[in-house]
Amino acid sequence: MITSLVGFALAGLLLPILTTRFGPRMFVVAAAVPAAVFVWLLFQVPAVTRGETPTELHPWVPQLDLAFAFRLDALSLTMALIVTGVGALVVLYCARYFRRGEDGLGRFSGVLLAFAGAMFGLVVSDDIYVLFMFWEATTVFSYLLIGQYTAKRKSRGAALQALLVTTAGGLAMLVGVVILAVESGTTRVSQIVADPPQASGLVTVAVLLVLLGALSKSAQVPLHFWLPSAMAAPTPVSAYLHAAAMVKAGIFLIALLVPAFGDTPGWRPVLVAVGVLTMLVGGWRALRQHDLKLLLAYGTVSQLGFLTVVVGYGTRNAALAGITLITGHALFKATLFLVVGIIDNRLGTRDLRKISGLGRQAPLLAVVATLAAASMAGLPPLLGFVAKEAVFTALLEDAEHGAPLGFVALIGVALGSVLTVAYTARFIWGAFARKPGVEPAEFVHEHVDFLVSPAILALVSLALGIASPLLDPLFGRYADSVAPLSGEALAASRAATTAGDTVAIPDAAHLALWHGVEPALGISAVTLVLGLALFAARTRVSAVQSRVPSWIDSARGYSRVVHLVDRAAVRLTRLTQTGSLPIYVATILVVLVAAVGTALALVGELPGSFRPWDSPAQLPIAIVMGVATIAAARAHKRFMAVVLVGVTGYGMAALFALQGAADLALTQALVETVTLVTFVLVLRRLPSAIGQDHGRRHRIVRAVIGVGVGIVMSVVAVVALGSRIAEPISLQFPELAYEGGHGRNVVNVLLVDIRGWDTLGEMSVLVVAATGVASLVFLSRRSSDMPRLGPETERPRWFARRTRMAEAPIEATASAGATPDGAAPSQEKGNQRTPWLLAGKTLAPENRSIILEVVVRLLFHSAIVVSVYLLFAGHNIPGGGFAGGLVAGLAFVARYLAAGRFELGEAAPIDAGKLLGFGVLFAGGTALVPIFFGVDALTSTWFEAELPVIGHIEFVTSTLFDIGVYLVVVGLALDILRSLGAEIDRQQEEDHGDESSPDDGIPGAHEVNTLSHTPHEPTPDTPAATETDAENATERSPR
Amino acid sequence: MSASLVLILLMAVLYAGGVYLLLGRSMTRMLLGFLLVGNATNLLILIIAGPAGVAPIVADGVEPSEMHDPLPEALILTAIVITFGVSAFLLALIYRSWRIARADVITSDEADVAVGGADSSMDDEESNEAEDGSGEDTEFEGRAEAKTS
C-alpha cells in the first residue's frame, strides 16, 4: 500500500511537467496509476471476503507510536476501490475535458493525482494520526482544486469557504482523535475499534468532536453550504471529490467507528436528526436549482444526509445497506456530474432553462444519464434500488422491534426519497427534454471517447444492481463487524446460541434485486409515485418554495461570521499597529515591568542581604556615572550627550577593575574609546542639537517607564543574586583552563577554548554588523580598496611601490612579528623618494598638525607591536584577541584622525571585508581542524620547545583561534573607519560640490549645504538644514 | 550572597536613563539609550557574578574561590564587543537616514498606519463580486464547441 502511495506522489510530482509540455492527453497516462492500484485491490477482494485483513506497517516515529500502518478490511477495501476506480475514470475524462494550454493545467493535474493518493491513504490508514494527516491533506488539495480558476473571485471564495469549514471541523476532530488515542492507549484504529475505551464523559465528548469533523467534511446541515459553493471547481473535480470520494470521508469515518461507538450517548440521535434534516434540506433545495450542477450538488448534500442516517444507525442490516448505498451513490453521482461536464463543455451552459431537446441530439449521453438517474431515484434493476430496498428493510425491521428512532429515520428517509425522485426527474427533464419556447440545443457531435468514463460508471451501476448478491459476501463481512443483529433479534440469537441451536442468524439481510413482495418494496413504490407527482406539480412547488423566507440560509451565517472576524482583525490591527516605534518599544517595556514585576511580587520575601558597597571606591565612581546618566538623559546637545554616555562607559571599566575583572576593564576602556571616535565621525554631519521630539507629557511617561524598568531590574538583581545557592560551575574553570587549555588567563581560555563556539557566533555578529555598516554607507557598492593616492597623482610607479611597502607591516603582524618601518624604505634604493607624511599632499595646510602627524606616525608601529603582544600574551595575562584587535584598530584610528583618509589607505591597504571573512574562516577552520585528528571540534593542544636563542617557548593551538578573533576586530575597526570616516568625508565633499580635488579633504567653510543629494523627499525642516551648516562651520572634521 | 547597594542603585539609574532615552523619537537618543541599557545590563551580570575577587588568572597560592567569577566575565566581554558592533551599525543607520531624509527623528511607519485603515479596501473587493457573474452557469464561457465547431 505504501508502494501505491509513493506511486501517487510521484505521479503528482511528474504530471505537471508532462501536462504542461504535452497537453491534457497526458491524463490518459496518469489514469494508469489509479487504475493499476484498482486492479491490485481487485486481486485482494477474495482474501478480504474470506475474512483476511492484509496489513502493512512502516514505523515512522516509534517514540510517539506513530506509524504508516495500513490495513484492508471490507470497508476500506470497498472505499479504496471506489477511490481508485472512479479516480482512474475521472482522470481519464480530464483528457477530453480540458484544452491544451489551459491556465494552471499542470498544477491541476498534479494536485488531482495527489488528492487521489491522499484519499487512498485516508481509507487504508490504520494509524489514527496518519489518517488525520491524510484527512487534512484532502482538505488542502480540495482547496487547491476548487480554486482552480484562480482568476474568478467566486472560485477563490468557494475554495476558502470549503477550507475554513472543513478545517474548523477537522480541528475539533483532532482534539477528539487525541482524546480517543490517549484513552485507548493506542493509535491503531483497528485496536481502538476492537477494544474501545471505557465509556465515560470524556470519551463521549471525544466521539462527538470526531463526529463534528466527519459531519463538516460530509457537508451536513448546518455546515452543508460549502459543498454547493464548491461547484465553482471544474466539473471532474466535482465528480470525484464532491460526489465519490472526499465528501464520503466523513461517512467513511462514521462507518469505521460505528462498531465501537454506535452506542455512545448522543451518537444515534445526532446522526439520525442531522442526517434526516440534511436529506430533506438538500432535496428541497435541489428542486429549486436551475443550474444542473447545483441541482446535483444539493442532491449530493441530500444523499450524504441519507448516508449519515443509514451508516450511523449501527445495526447489522443498516450497515449492510449503508456500504451498498455508499457504492451506489459514488457510481451514479460521479456519472451524472461527468454528464453535466459534457453538456457544459459542449453547450457552454448548464442552465436547464436554456437547454432544450438535447435528448434527441445526443441519445447516447441521454441513455447514460438516465441509467445513472434511475439508480439515484432507486429504480430497479440498478444498484441504487438494491441499496434503497436494503435501507428500508433495515430501518423497518428496527422500527418493528420498537425503536422509536427507527420510525423517525424511516419516515425521514422515505420523505427524502420522495424529494430524490422529484429532483432526479427534474434533472433528466432539465437536461434532455424539449421545452416549449426554448431554442433546441445545437449539440453537433457526440464524441464517444468523451463518454467512456460516464458510460463505464453507469454500466457498473447496472451490472452491480443485477449482480448484487455477488457483493453480499464482501459487504456482509463489514456488516457483521458492526453488530451481529439489532435489539430483540440479538437477544433471540443469543438465546438460540445458549440453547444449543444453530447459530444461523434468522434475519440477517442479504443483497438482492428481488426479495419478493415485502413492505420495503411498497415504500419504494409509494415514494416513486409521490416523487413523480411532486415533479409534475413543479410550478406549484416552486411557488411554495419562493415563499420560504430567504434568511433561512446558513451560508449567510458563514459570511457574517467571516465578515465579523475580518472587521475585528482590522480593528485590532488599528489599535495595536500605530506605526510609532516609541509606542512599540514602550509596550514591550511595560509588559516587561508588568510581567516580571508580578512574578517578583509573587516571590514574596526578597532573598539575600545588602551591604553598602564592595569597596568604598565604588561610591564615587557610581556617583559620577549616575550624574552622567541623568545629565545625558537631559542633554540637548548631541556631543554633550555622547560624552556623558562615554563617561558611564569608562566608569564601567573602573568598576570592572575594582571587581577584579581585568580583561573586562581593558576591553571596556578600549571599546569605549573606539565608540567615542565612531560617534564623533558620524555626528559631525548632524546638527549639534538633538531634535525636540515630545512634549512634557511624553517626557513624564518616558520617565515613569524608565524608573519602573530600573526598579524592576534592581529587584531582579537582588533576587537573582539571592537565588545563587549552588556552587558555581566556574570554580572548576581555573583548573580546566590551566590543565586543559594550557592558559592561565581563565577568561581568555573560556573565550577561545571552553566556550569557543560562542565566540565564533559573536564573530559572525561582528562581521554582519561591519557588513551592514559598509552597505549602509557605500550606497551602491562596497569598494574593494581603501582610498589611495591613485592614478590621479600621475605617479604610478610610486603607487605600486607604496603598495608593496605598506603591506609589509600587515604581513608582519599576521606572522607574529613586527618589521621595523625602517626596513621597508631600504628596498627602495634608486627610486624616487616618497613623502613620509602623506598629508602634505592631501590636506590643506590650515587643517594640518605636523606634530600630531609625526607623533602618530612614530607611535603607530609601536601600537601594532603592543596589539600583537596583547594577542599572544592574552592566554596567560589580561589581553587576548579582542583587546589586541582593538588596540590595532585604535592605531588605525589615530592614523586616520591625524592625516586623513589617504593616510588610512596607506596604513592599511587591505580590504576590510577580506580581513573579516578571513578572520572568521581562520577561527572556524582552527576550530574544525581537531576533527581530522579524531577529537571533538575546538579541542586544543600545545607545543613546547627549547629554541637556541629565544629560550623556552610554548604555543597553544587555541591561540590560532584568537588570531581569527583579532583579525575580525581589526576588520571591524577598519570597516568603520573606511565607511563612517573616509567615505563620509568623500560624500561630504560631494555634497558640497567640491569636485576639484582629491587633494583637499576639507571643503571650504563658506559653502552652503545644499539638499541636492536627497532625491527622495526634500524635507520641509529647513531649520535643521541650516543648523547643519552651522555645525559644518564650527565642528568640521575632527582632524 | 549579599548585594552591593551602590551597584544596584547605579544599575537602576542606568536602566532608567537608558529607557528614557530609548523611548525618544530621535535616533541619536535611542542609540545613546541603547548604550546605557547595555551598560546597565553588563552591570546586572556583574552584580549577579558575586563579590569582588582577584583577577581570574591562575597563579600559585590563589584559590579558585578567591577569584572573581570568570564565567560572567566572559559573558560580559562578549556583550561589550557585540554592543560595539551593533552601535556602529546603528550609527551607520543614523547617518544613512540623515543623508537621505535629513532627519534624525523616527516618524510613524506609513505601512503600519495603512494597515490600520484597510477596511475600505475590503469593501471595494466586495463590490467587485458581481463582475464575474456572467459565467455563473458554465466553465466554458464563450468557447463551447457547439459554437465553434
Side-chain angles (χ1 to χ4, degrees):
Chain A
M1 284 169 257
I2 194 98
T3 323
S4 315
L5 283 173
V6 171
F8 277 115
L10 284 181
L13 288 174
L14 282 180
L15 199 56
I17 305 165
L18 292 177
T19 41
T20 315
R21 190 114 187 217
F22 302 108
R25 65 198 145 132
M26 280 299 121
F27 279 111
V28 178
V29 180
V33 177
V37 179
F38 180 76
V39 170
W40 177 77
L41 287 167
L42 275 183
F43 280 107
Q44 311 298 315
V45 171
V48 174
T49 311
R50 279 197 306 273
E52 292 168 25
T53 308
T55 54
E56 248 182 70
L57 186 70
H58 305 274
W60 181 17
V61 189
Q63 295 86 344
L64 294 175
D65 196 17
L66 269 185
F68 286 103
F70 302 112
R71 54 93 185 73
L72 271 185
D73 54 18
L75 176 67
S76 53
L77 177 64
T78 308
M79 284 298 295
L81 282 168
I82 294 172
V83 166
T84 52
V86 177
L89 291 173
V90 167
V91 172
L92 189 69
Y93 174 88
C94 286
R96 282 291 287 133
Y97 189 80
F98 291 103
R99 294 206 306 190
R100 194 173 178 150
E102 191 148 340
D103 281 347
L105 189 60
R107 180 189 63 220
F108 176 83
S109 59
V111 175
L112 189 64
L113 260 283
F115 170 82
M119 195 64 214
F120 176 72
L122 196 164
V123 296
V124 298
S125 287
D126 196 26
D127 187 299
I128 199 159
Y129 292 120
V130 173
L131 185 151
F132 181 80
M133 211 178 71
F134 283 121
W135 179 283
E136 290 297 304
T138 60
T139 302
V140 173
F141 292 134
S142 149
Y143 167 74
L144 294 171
L145 289 170
I146 297 172
Q148 168 63 14
Y149 298 117
T150 46
K152 288 191 187 168
R153 184 183 150 75
K154 204 180 157 209
S155 183
R156 297 195 305 269
L160 188 63
Q161 192 179 54
L163 184 74
L164 286 179
V165 174
T166 47
T167 42
L171 278 179
M173 180 174 142
L174 179 60
V175 177
V177 160
V178 171
I179 298 176
L180 278 187
V182 170
E183 287 291 301
S184 320
T186 174
T187 61
R188 297 287 171 282
V189 181
S190 49
Q191 290 172 18
I192 295 177
V193 172
D195 182 18
Q198 286 264 300
S200 67
L202 193 60
V203 171
T204 305
V205 169
V207 169
L208 292 180
L209 284 173
V210 171
L211 279 189
L212 186 58
L215 295 179
S216 72
K217 190 86 163 179
S218 286
Q220 299 295 298
V221 169
L223 301 173
H224 65 286
F225 52 86
W226 70 264
L227 185 56
S229 308
M231 292 303 127
T235 302
V237 171
S238 310
Y240 190 29
L241 274 69
H242 307 130
M246 190 181 80
V247 289
K248 294 277 170 54
I251 305 291
F252 165 74
L253 196 67
I254 294 174
L256 194 63
L257 298 181
V258 72
F261 301 103
D263 293 325
T264 307
W267 173 286
R268 200 169 302 179
V270 165
L271 290 186
V272 168
V274 168
V276 166
L277 191 61
T278 307
M279 187 172 188
L280 295 178
V281 167
W284 175 260
R285 285 188 167 261
L287 278 178
R288 296 187 63 180
Q289 303 306 318
H290 298 299
D291 183 340
L292 288 173
K293 201 172 167 186
L294 275 183
L295 193 160
L296 288 183
Y298 279 107
T300 308
V301 169
S302 172
Q303 292 282 314
L304 289 169
F306 193 12
L307 282 167
T308 304
V309 174
V310 179
V311 168
Y313 199 74
T315 64
R316 190 255 174 210
N317 291 345
L320 180 71
I323 191 169
T324 317
L325 194 60
I326 290 176
T327 314
H329 178 253
L331 291 171
F332 68 69
K333 195 50 72 61
T335 314
L336 291 175
F337 269 113
L338 295 182
V339 166
V340 169
I342 294 177
I343 293 174
D344 188 13
N345 190 294
R346 292 307 151 89
L347 295 184
T349 182
R350 303 186 304 243
D351 191 332
L352 53 81
R353 288 166 301 187
K354 296 182 192 161
I355 305 169
S356 174
L358 188 59
R360 200 158 293 181
Q361 300 263 357
L364 269 179
L365 188 68
V367 167
V368 167
T370 311
L371 266 182
S375 186
M376 176 152 82
L379 292 180
L382 290 125
L383 189 57
F385 170 74
V386 176
K388 199 185 281 188
E389 289 293 286
V391 171
F392 288 153
T393 310
L395 293 178
L396 195 61
E397 161 199 287
D398 205 46
E400 279 171 354
H401 286 304
L405 215 53
F407 273 113
V408 176
L410 182 64
I411 294 168
V413 299
L415 280 177
S417 298
V418 172
L419 292 171
T420 308
V421 172
Y423 71 70
T424 308
R426 181 180 165 86
F427 176 81
I428 292 295
W429 165 79
F432 297 104
R434 191 184 298 174
K435 293 167 200 111
V438 183
E439 204 179 314
E442 287 175 54
F443 198 87
V444 176
H445 180 60
E446 231 179 353
H447 293 274
V448 179
D449 55 348
F450 208 170
L451 255 177
V452 166
S453 296
I456 292 177
L457 287 169
L459 288 176
V460 172
S461 277
L462 181 63
L464 288 183
I466 295 167
S468 51
L470 294 179
L471 295 174
D472 198 55
L474 181 66
F475 289 0
R477 182 71 57 190
Y478 164 68
D480 289 337
S481 76
V482 171
L485 278 175
S486 67
E488 289 170 28
L490 183 66
S493 81
R494 271 202 196 125
T497 321
T498 44
D501 292 352
T502 48
V503 204
I505 299 161
D507 51 357
H510 294 282
L511 296 176
L513 204 52
W514 183 249
H515 284 288
V517 182
E518 51 174 6
L521 191 66
I523 301 175
S524 278
V526 171
T527 55
L528 194 63
V529 171
L530 285 179
L532 289 175
L534 201 59
F535 170 70
R538 57 185 177 275
T539 31
R540 227 167 300 158
V541 170
S542 63
V544 173
Q545 285 192 322
S546 59
R547 242 174 274 153
V548 175
S550 64
W551 54 263
I552 309 179
D553 185 352
S554 49
R556 285 186 167 217
Y558 164 82
S559 59
R560 202 163 298 158
V561 167
V562 169
H563 190 68
L564 274 179
V565 170
D566 281 349
R567 288 285 293 273
V570 167
R571 292 245 169 93
L572 189 68
T573 310
R574 189 180 294 164
L575 201 69
T576 53
Q577 301 300 108
T578 52
S580 159
L581 187 60
I583 289 181
Y584 295 162
V585 179
T587 310
I588 295 171
L589 291 170
V590 168
V591 170
L592 170 91
V593 171
V596 179
T598 314
L600 291 174
L602 295 178
V603 168
E605 53 182 321
L606 295 179
S609 55
F610 298 96
R611 60 202 138 114
W613 47 64
D614 291 316
S615 64
Q618 280 181 346
L619 185 62
I621 299 172
I623 290 173
V624 171
M625 285 174 72
V627 170
T629 305
I630 293 165
R634 296 174 54 87
H636 293 299
K637 293 280 179 196
R638 222 174 282 268
F639 277 100
M640 166 106 86
V642 169
V643 170
L644 287 168
V645 170
V647 168
T648 67
Y650 288 114
M652 288 295 292
L655 288 178
F656 290 144
L658 282 177
Q659 288 299 92
D663 277 287
L664 289 189
L666 179 63
T667 313
Q668 173 78 38
L670 290 168
V671 161
E672 207 50 54
T673 311
V674 181
T675 306
L676 260 180
V677 171
T678 317
F679 258 103
V680 170
L681 289 178
V682 172
L683 295 190
R684 65 194 154 134
R685 298 283 282 132
L686 269 63
S688 71
I690 309 182
Q692 269 310 317
D693 36 24
H694 285 308
R696 197 183 143 79
R697 271 226 334 263
H698 281 100
R699 284 205 298 276
I700 292 172
V701 172
R702 282 160 60 193
V704 167
I705 297 177
V707 170
V709 172
I711 291 171
V712 166
M713 292 314 287
S714 44
V715 182
V716 165
V718 174
V719 172
L721 188 60
S723 314
R724 290 194 58 181
I725 43 174
E727 190 170 89
I729 187 178
S730 45
L731 284 182
Q732 292 155 27
F733 282 168
E735 195 193 329
L736 269 177
Y738 191 64
E739 304 293 331
H742 213 68
R744 290 177 180 274
N745 184 353
V746 184
V747 176
N748 185 264
V749 178
L750 262 177
L751 287 173
V752 299
D753 195 336
I754 300 177
R755 294 172 56 89
W757 286 126
D758 269 13
T759 311
L760 199 62
E762 178 194 359
M763 287 160 71
S764 317
V765 173
L766 290 187
V767 170
V768 171
T771 310
V773 170
S775 41
L776 279 171
V777 174
F778 294 94
L779 298 184
S780 51
R781 79 206 150 77
R782 180 179 188 147
S783 75
S784 61
D785 289 311
M786 295 298 292
R788 307 280 300 273
L789 280 179
E792 306 99 309
T793 61
E794 296 169 18
R795 271 185 281 176
R797 273 191 309 146
W798 172 89
F799 178 72
R801 199 159 37 77
R802 278 306 290 189
T803 310
R804 236 182 16 254
M805 186 184 93
E807 267 164 4
I810 293 298
E811 283 167 6
T813 38
S815 58
T819 314
D821 190 34
S826 64
Q827 304 166 353
E828 261 109 70
K829 284 191 180 121
N831 282 333
Q832 191 189 351
R833 181 81 192 154
T834 57
W836 189 62
L837 291 176
L838 270 178
K841 294 260 170 223
T842 59
L843 285 185
E846 65 268 28
N847 291 314
R848 292 186 65 190
S849 161
I850 305 276
I851 294 177
L852 185 62
E853 283 171 39
V854 171
V855 169
V856 165
R857 203 59 220 262
L858 290 174
L859 286 178
F860 177 71
H861 295 100
S862 324
I864 296 293
V865 171
V866 168
S867 81
V868 174
Y869 169 76
L870 280 175
L871 163 64
F872 285 99
H875 215 54
N876 293 309
I877 61 165
F882 284 118
L886 286 166
V887 169
L890 273 174
F892 290 121
V893 166
R895 283 287 287 270
Y896 166 72
L897 290 182
R901 63 183 201 264
F902 294 102
E903 180 78 14
L904 177 67
E906 291 307 319
I910 182 166
D911 182 14
K914 285 179 189 147
L915 213 54
L916 288 164
F918 182 69
V920 169
L921 271 182
F922 193 74
T926 0
L928 291 179
V929 163
I931 290 180
F932 298 106
F933 292 93
V935 287
D936 285 341
L938 274 172
T939 308
S940 64
T941 183
W942 64 88
F943 308 99
E944 295 179 82
E946 294 292 338
L947 289 185
V949 183
I950 304 169
H952 180 80
I953 65 154
E954 282 181 11
F955 184 75
V956 188
T957 51
S958 55
T959 303
L960 293 174
F961 187 88
D962 225 4
I963 293 175
V965 175
Y966 177 88
L967 291 178
V968 167
V969 176
V970 172
L972 173 65
L974 275 183
D975 222 353
I976 288 173
L977 279 180
R978 215 182 42 147
S979 314
L980 300 177
E983 177 66 11
I984 290 184
D985 289 348
R986 202 190 57 74
Q987 290 177 358
Q988 190 171 17
E989 285 164 21
E990 231 175 60
D991 285 1
H992 287 261
D994 187 355
E995 285 151 357
S996 62
S997 59
D999 294 336
D1000 190 352
I1002 290 302
H1006 61 280
E1007 277 159 4
V1008 181
N1009 190 348
T1010 59
L1011 298 180
S1012 62
H1013 278 82
T1014 58
H1016 294 297
E1017 67 241 77
T1019 46
D1021 69 350
T1022 16
T1026 29
E1027 242 176 342
T1028 326
D1029 294 341
E1031 178 82 3
N1032 284 336
T1034 50
E1035 302 278 350
R1036 271 309 133 218
S1037 134
R1039 18 181 146 96
Chain B
M1 286 186 233
S2 61
S4 154
L5 212 51
V6 167
L7 288 190
I8 287 180
L9 282 178
L10 174 62
M11 184 194 76
V13 171
L14 281 171
Y15 266 121
V19 167
Y20 178 80
L21 285 172
L22 201 58
L23 288 175
R25 278 192 177 277
S26 154
M27 287 173 78
T28 311
R29 276 212 179 93
M30 293 178 81
L31 174 53
L32 293 173
F34 173 78
L35 288 175
L36 284 179
V37 170
N39 281 343
T41 307
N42 286 342
L43 196 52
L44 173 67
I45 303 178
L46 190 74
I47 292 169
I48 299 174
V54 296
I57 288 171
V58 180
D60 294 337
V62 180
E63 286 300 308
S65 53
E66 295 170 33
M67 292 178 183
H68 188 246
D69 196 336
L71 181 60
E73 279 195 40
L75 298 181
I76 296 174
L77 202 120
T78 310
I80 291 173
V81 179
I82 287 193
T83 307
F84 169 57
V86 173
S87 41
F89 180 73
L90 289 176
L91 270 169
L93 266 183
I94 292 174
Y95 172 72
R96 179 77 189 260
S97 157
W98 177 256
R99 197 165 150 74
I100 288 177
R102 296 281 142 181
D104 177 35
V105 171
I106 292 181
T107 51
S108 291
D109 184 30
E110 283 167 26
D112 276 4
V113 175
V115 168
D119 60 356
S120 58
S121 64
M122 279 170 47
D123 293 344
D124 285 352
E125 243 196 297
E126 255 160 51
S127 62
N128 290 339
E129 199 155 0
E131 148 202 11
D132 54 22
S134 55
E136 286 278 279
D137 63 346
T138 179
E139 293 164 37
F140 299 91
E141 225 173 314
R143 64 171 175 86
E145 289 193 18
K147 286 167 197 161
T148 52
S149 59

